[in-house]
Amino acid sequence: MNSKEITELRRSLSPERNFVSRIYGCFVNSVREVVADLSESLGMIPQEDAEKYLSLLKKTLSGSLNNNLFNIDFSTRQVLEGDEHRLLMSLRKAELKDNELRHELYSRITSGLDMEGNYLILLAHNTYDVPRRRADNGDADGSDEAFSFVVCAICPVKDSKAELGYCPSDNEFHCSSGQIVAPPQLGFLFPAFDDRAANIHSALYYSKSKDELHPELMDALFHTEPLKTVTEQREAFHSALCEAMDGKCGMELMQAVHEEFAGRIEQHKESGEVEPLVFTPKQLGTILQSCGVSEECSEAFSERCAKEFGEKAELDPAVLIDTEHFAIKTSCASITVPPELSYLVETRTIDGKKYILIPADSEIELNGLPVSLIEDKA
């Protein structure tokens, strides 16, 4: 799924657009016991409650791809024989109305998920009438296809602080507290919505934290290869680069790679291309060579990336490096410049000492106060 398809589905869960008839779920305590079952008709509960349920479910389609949202691909064998895929397909076909199937899913989640505290599992089935696309990419009247999907949100339930509040029945103020459902920490959608149609070979996984993906839950739900977090991907990328360069990963090289990635990301945005920008390990080697690295080192880097991520991996450049920040840190100082101005940072050896230099010919502030530099006397 790409970002436009995700946005389209998120809109389908709006109060005025959705076709969700019932919300299902269960409340799980801190020792992984299901202590309450949930089955609420959206048409029979207060509108405010219905909107809150939909809002929680919509949050599992928020964030950015490869940071919070991850495409999960099932193998052909899993689609034909896998228990995990069978359960998801059965839940979708039954529109979540089968109590045994729902509890089988709850059991998979509670036995697999390692998360502290209480949490609420929310489930909904929705049918989205996919609008026809006009030549100008706008929506036309009518629909040729209905996309049926299941969405799940796993929300922490936290104790609220005691607050003083007014009680109308007593006409008095009392101090009270309760348990509040927090925004979802994890979730998923099945099947994927690819090319604006159902793709039963894929699912979409959500994690609020980009560095805590809960691979144990992914294994319980999908039993596919575990995903690397953003931090793990960056560390693996940097490790492959250092190894290919025999440990000599200079700042000038990282600067060049950073600028090359940032430039290609900007070009991709300007092109209006719907599909996300990704690089294969082989393409990463070609990019490294364009940064002035020898063919031998570039090939070694490609091989190392293929080993770390897989030969057919499609890697997001905005994940491999932080293209939104350019920060340099030493033991005694930090320098941060806008990424598009990273070329202003230079390294130089003066009188045998290494220095990091930035131009100082514009306005300068010290602790928020304007200062000027004293000119060197000739």
Side-chain angles (χ1 to χ4, degrees):
M1 293 178 66
N2 58 46
S3 57
K4 284 192 174 182
E5 290 164 339
I6 293 168
T7 300
E8 188 173 348
L9 273 196
R10 187 164 60 241
R11 288 173 181 162
S12 78
L13 288 170
S14 300
E16 65 279 4
R17 296 187 181 185
N18 79 89
F19 285 92
V20 176
S21 60
R22 186 170 286 272
I23 296 288
Y24 299 97
C26 66
F27 178 54
V28 184
N29 65 17
S30 58
V31 292
R32 304 187 184 187
E33 295 173 336
V34 174
V35 294
D37 215 22
L38 173 69
S39 177
E40 296 275 9
S41 169
L42 285 193
M44 300 296 290
I45 61 176
Q47 183 178 351
E48 186 178 358
D49 292 354
E51 290 179 0
K52 178 55 70 174
Y53 279 129
L54 291 173
S55 175
L56 291 170
L57 290 166
K58 279 178 65 176
K59 279 182 169 37
T60 62
L61 299 176
S62 62
S64 58
L65 279 168
N66 302 312
N67 276 287
N68 312 99
L69 296 164
F70 303 87
N71 287 304
I72 303 292
D73 294 323
F74 294 99
S75 67
T76 302
R77 183 172 182 178
Q78 280 183 298
V79 173
L80 294 174
E81 304 173 3
D83 284 341
E84 297 81 13
H85 193 271
R86 172 201 56 79
L87 175 60
L88 294 173
M89 286 292 289
S90 299
L91 285 164
R92 179 196 183 215
K93 183 178 180 180
E95 298 182 355
L96 298 177
K97 295 174 184 177
D98 189 308
N99 187 56
E100 288 187 12
L101 290 174
R102 292 199 310 273
H103 279 81
E104 184 179 345
L105 178 65
Y106 300 156
S107 178
R108 283 184 182 272
I109 293 174
T110 56
S111 61
L113 178 58
D114 183 14
M115 188 167 77
E116 292 183 1
N118 306 328
Y119 58 88
L120 175 68
I121 301 174
L122 286 178
L123 286 172
H125 173 271
N126 194 25
T127 301
Y128 172 49
D129 288 330
V130 184
R132 299 191 191 102
R133 279 286 190 225
R134 298 196 304 259
D136 60 1
N137 286 329
D139 288 344
D141 293 333
S143 172
D144 291 327
E145 183 171 353
F147 173 61
S148 166
F149 64 95
V150 171
V151 62
C152 172
I154 300 174
C155 310
V157 178
K158 301 178 180 180
D159 293 329
S160 64
K161 292 182 180 179
E163 300 285 353
L164 192 64
Y166 177 67
C167 182
S169 59
D170 298 336
N171 196 26
E172 294 177 351
F173 286 87
H174 297 288
C175 195
S176 62
S177 62
Q179 292 189 312
I180 295 177
V181 179
Q185 192 77 25
L186 302 159
F188 72 88
L189 175 141
F190 178 84
F193 185 56
D194 288 333
D195 294 327
R196 309 185 77 234
N199 178 5
I200 64 169
H201 289 79
S202 297
L204 188 71
Y205 182 76
Y206 168 79
S207 174
K208 182 180 179 181
S209 170
K210 63 183 180 181
D211 286 322
E212 195 174 356
L213 304 185
H214 286 277
E216 77 284 357
L217 178 63
M218 282 188 279
D219 184 60
L221 289 173
F222 313 118
H223 200 53
T224 54
E225 287 294 321
L227 301 172
K228 282 184 168 65
T229 66
V230 170
T231 299
E232 289 170 342
Q233 288 188 63
R234 287 180 181 172
E235 289 176 350
F237 175 77
H238 189 262
S239 175
L241 192 55
C242 288
E243 187 171 316
M245 301 300 294
D246 291 326
K248 298 176 182 178
C249 187
M251 197 181 83
E252 292 82 359
L253 174 59
M254 286 305 298
Q255 218 169 337
V257 171
H258 193 284
E259 291 173 8
E260 183 69 25
F261 276 25
R264 295 194 182 213
I265 291 171
E266 188 60 32
Q267 289 176 10
H268 185 265
K269 285 181 180 178
E270 292 175 354
S271 71
E273 179 65 40
V274 174
E275 293 300 322
L277 177 65
V278 293
F279 297 144
T280 64
K282 188 174 182 179
Q283 288 173 322
L284 286 174
T286 303
I287 291 172
L288 192 63
Q289 196 168 349
S290 71
C291 293
V293 175
S294 69
E295 184 177 352
E296 182 181 355
C297 289
S298 298
E299 289 179 356
F301 174 61
S302 282
E303 291 173 3
R304 181 64 184 174
C305 285
K307 185 177 179 181
E308 287 282 354
F309 301 105
E311 290 185 8
K312 297 181 180 179
E314 295 182 336
L315 304 168
D316 184 346
V319 170
L320 297 179
I321 62 172
D322 187 350
T323 55
E324 296 183 0
H325 304 88
F326 191 84
I328 302 166
K329 187 176 182 179
T330 71
S331 59
C332 59
S334 298
I335 300 173
T336 303
V337 298
E340 66 272 15
L341 299 178
S342 61
Y343 64 88
L344 294 175
V345 181
E346 298 180 23
T347 57
R348 196 175 298 176
T349 301
I350 304 173
D351 296 332
K353 289 186 177 181
K354 297 177 181 178
Y355 290 87
I356 298 172
L357 307 177
I358 57 172
D361 52 2
S362 57
E363 294 180 359
I364 302 171
E365 290 185 356
L366 175 62
N367 292 337
L369 300 175
V371 297
S372 58
L373 296 180
I374 300 174
E375 298 287 341
D376 289 337
K377 294 181 180 180

